[in-house]
Amino acid sequence: MILFPAIDLKEGRCVRLVQGDMAQAVVFNDDPAAQAAAFEAQGFSWLHVVDLDGAFAGAPMNAAAVDAILARVKLPVQLGGGIRDMKTLEAWLAKGVSRVIIGTAAVRDPAFVREAARRHPGRIAVGIDAKDGRVAVEGWAQTSSMTAEELGRRFEDAGVAAIIYTDIARDGILKGLNIEMTLALAQAVTIPVIASGGLASIEDVHRLLQPDCALLAGAITGRALYDGRIDPRAALAAIREAGRAPSAPAS
């Protein structure tokens, strides 16, 4: 299981939102590259980066901050937010992003996801963000009629490397992951699923290490790292001791 520290970018700074509300942004670091370097020093094997402004705009808006992160650390980076066409996607891969996350376009343009996965095997993830059981798009500003499982099944044979499942109601409020819904999605598809939204404590990490969660590929943690609720070294040690740590950083 990979534990991904999250760097959410808004106006060039590292922030955390509450339930995806841009009006409830708390700035945790004015220097995202320095934050990335701190996560690397703590022993994490991947970074999860989201261009929040890009998710709303439909195009990259924090490119300078992402470039600075890529230049600063050697960790593989998965990046989402505003990636809705092949030109943008391939530009990020060329810059050194290891995996791109397609969210809104996965609902609006599934053929784009399939073509991207065909061209770049192992480097395309689908972001499924759910609000009240329905998939949300456009930076979570709109809710579609599709369920998370319906969207996941759409890409079963597409060669997608991972699904990142976020329960929007849990995101940023430190109430714990929605294990039930995340496992339901993981059981419905063969694509590896990464849990996101609400991870709040070392107890949540231990919950992810229970046998029923063995089919999950990882989890994303954000606010709990920034405010000290989770000791990164203790969390990574627990994963190693459970025999769930990746053998080496993927790329």
Side-chain angles (χ1 to χ4, degrees):
M1 187 186 78
I2 299 172
L3 191 62
F4 296 80
I7 295 179
D8 289 355
L9 299 170
K10 182 177 186 289
E11 298 172 352
R13 299 184 293 179
C14 182
V15 307
R16 296 302 296 167
L17 305 184
V18 175
Q19 297 177 328
D21 185 352
M22 291 287 268
Q24 297 190 64
V26 178
V27 177
F28 281 99
N29 199 323
D30 288 324
D31 187 344
Q35 185 62 63
F39 286 144
E40 184 175 47
Q42 289 165 349
F44 288 101
S45 59
W46 272 84
L47 289 177
H48 175 79
V49 180
V50 178
D51 179 349
L52 295 172
D53 301 300
F56 281 90
M61 300 295 289
N62 283 282
V66 178
D67 289 345
I69 290 170
L70 294 171
R72 185 76 171 268
V73 301
K74 293 184 172 64
L75 294 181
V77 171
Q78 66 179 20
L79 173 69
I83 302 172
R84 299 184 192 172
D85 59 68
M86 196 67 72
K87 181 179 178 181
T88 301
L89 183 152
E90 292 184 335
W92 280 126
L93 293 179
K95 283 186 172 187
V97 170
S98 294
R99 186 158 69 196
V100 295
I101 305 163
I102 302 173
T104 294
V107 177
R108 305 275 197 246
D109 188 5
F112 164 52
V113 177
R114 291 179 173 277
E115 178 62 13
R118 186 189 68 79
R119 290 193 196 184
H120 305 286
R123 303 187 71 183
I124 307 301
V126 169
I128 299 181
D129 307 323
K131 181 184 291 184
D132 298 325
R134 300 291 171 178
V135 175
V137 295
E138 306 292 346
W140 299 354
Q142 299 176 23
T143 304
S144 74
S145 61
M146 188 177 296
T147 68
E149 291 182 25
E150 288 170 343
L151 183 56
R153 289 194 185 101
R154 173 183 282 181
F155 300 110
E156 266 288 71
D157 60 349
V160 170
I163 289 173
I164 297 161
Y165 175 75
T166 303
D167 184 324
I168 296 170
R170 305 276 184 124
D171 193 67
I173 63 170
L174 301 167
K175 295 294 186 182
L177 293 163
N178 188 335
I179 295 291
E180 181 180 359
M181 290 296 292
T182 306
L183 287 179
L185 175 61
Q187 289 160 358
V189 299
T190 59
I191 304 166
V193 173
I194 297 167
S196 175
L199 200 154
S201 67
I202 192 67
E203 286 73 24
D204 289 332
V205 175
H206 289 302
R207 176 67 186 89
L208 288 165
L209 297 173
Q210 295 303 304
D212 62 332
C213 289
L215 73 168
L216 298 180
I220 293 165
T221 177
R223 194 181 193 100
L225 278 179
Y226 291 100
D227 67 13
R229 291 170 188 257
I230 290 180
D231 178 336
R233 290 182 172 83
L236 293 171
I239 294 169
R240 285 194 303 272
E241 288 166 10
R244 294 286 307 280
S247 57
S251 61

